[in-house]
Amino acid sequence: GPSPRPCRRVDVPGVPGAFVMLDVLTLAECASLSTISEVMGFTPDHPLSRPSPSGIEACEWLLHTDVTDILLARCRACLPAEMGGGRLAGINNRCRFFRYTDRDGAVYRPHIDGSWPGSGLDPISGRYVHDLYGDRRSRLTFLIYLNDGFDGGWTARGARPRSC
């Protein structure tokens, strides 16, 4: 269903093209997603480039298209209609949840996110397909903070996170 307030976009100062969307999910939706990811379970996010674990755990989830359709409907007005030569086609169903397990040592390494193909379930077999559509790739990273009441969590200097 619709969120209680319309989604709002705020550009991130000093980071060209980056923006924050506010009021995407309700607090109850954030709590539900957080609980579901906890039940599904997390595994250490240990990139090969690091000699030791990062202090971050991940849970990978393929969201149902009903969920990503709701997210898109709420956010469409805040998203660019075109980018990198392609038109907005949707939100990738492949979703990763992260949690920081080492408050002092967890550092999400500096990186540039890759461009992922549109993942989903084959409508005939019901099996996961990494590149279901064959004609789309992600152009933006869609980050949602499910909790608040913490210090830190910036993805770029000066860009303070906000919950939902």
Side-chain angles (χ1 to χ4, degrees):
S3 61
R5 295 179 290 218
C7 176
R8 296 178 290 131
R9 177 180 164 154
V10 179
D11 290 335
V12 175
V15 185
F19 55 93
V20 174
M21 293 185 295
L22 304 173
D23 300 321
V24 173
L25 299 174
T26 66
L27 291 176
E29 289 167 335
C30 288
S32 292
L33 290 172
S34 184
T35 298
I36 291 167
S37 65
E38 290 289 336
V39 169
M40 289 175 60
F42 286 79
T43 57
D45 184 49
H46 187 149
L48 298 175
S49 62
R50 290 182 56 116
S52 60
S54 63
I56 301 168
E57 293 181 339
C59 171
E60 204 161 323
W61 185 4
L62 187 67
L63 296 174
H64 192 277
T65 53
D66 289 350
V67 175
T68 54
D69 287 348
I70 289 169
L71 286 172
L72 181 60
R74 290 180 185 179
C75 299
R76 184 179 291 277
C78 296
L79 296 170
E82 293 185 20
M83 177 177 261
R87 295 192 52 76
L88 177 63
I91 295 174
N92 197 339
N93 295 60
R94 183 180 174 269
C95 182
R96 296 178 74 202
F97 290 75
F98 294 98
R99 72 174 174 196
Y100 295 78
T101 56
D102 179 353
R103 183 179 186 108
D104 297 320
V107 175
Y108 203 78
R109 67 219 173 269
H111 68 283
I112 295 173
D113 287 346
S115 176
W116 292 91
S119 304
L121 297 179
D122 181 278
I124 308 282
S125 69
R127 293 189 174 186
Y128 172 77
V129 179
H130 180 70
D131 187 1
L132 181 65
Y133 306 97
D135 67 349
R136 60 191 70 173
R137 298 193 67 82
S138 60
R139 304 269 190 238
L140 293 171
T141 296
F142 195 88
L143 281 173
I144 298 176
Y145 290 92
L146 296 175
N147 60 349
D148 57 12
F150 55 87
D151 291 323
W154 293 265
T155 57
R157 187 185 320 235
R160 183 162 176 72
R162 309 228 174 145
S163 63
C164 299

